Amino acid sequence: ERLRQTTEKVSITGHTDNVGEEEANNNLGMNRAESIRNLLVAKGVAVDRITIDSKGEAQPATTNETEDGRHRNRRTVLRIVN
């Protein structure tokens, strides 16, 4: 709702755990970011206000040594930028 009412821009970054090949994880992170972008566009946010990126497995939020840690690393981060 907020994004439809303002001209703020959005940065979306996809992340993964470290299971699998690095290139595949980069692609998976990008797919996650694209999915959120598509959702926002479907809700009325202009696509030219959204940037997407993937960090793949490069920036874990926590350990990849446990299933819970890997679960937490599989995420998408959305930031509103001016």
Side-chain angles (χ1 to χ4, degrees), residues 9-55:
K9 296 184 180 185
V10 179
S11 170
I12 304 168
T13 306
H15 299 268
T16 68
D17 59 28
N18 67 349
V19 176
E21 297 294 323
E22 183 176 354
E23 183 177 352
N25 284 334
N26 284 332
N27 290 336
L28 178 56
M30 187 60 77
N31 289 341
R32 287 185 172 140
E34 288 172 347
S35 293
I36 300 301
R37 177 189 61 195
N38 294 343
L39 176 68
L40 291 175
V41 170
K43 299 264 184 194
V45 180
V47 70
D48 63 347
R49 294 175 40 212
I50 304 169
T51 59
I52 60 172
D53 190 23
S54 173
K55 297 299 180 189

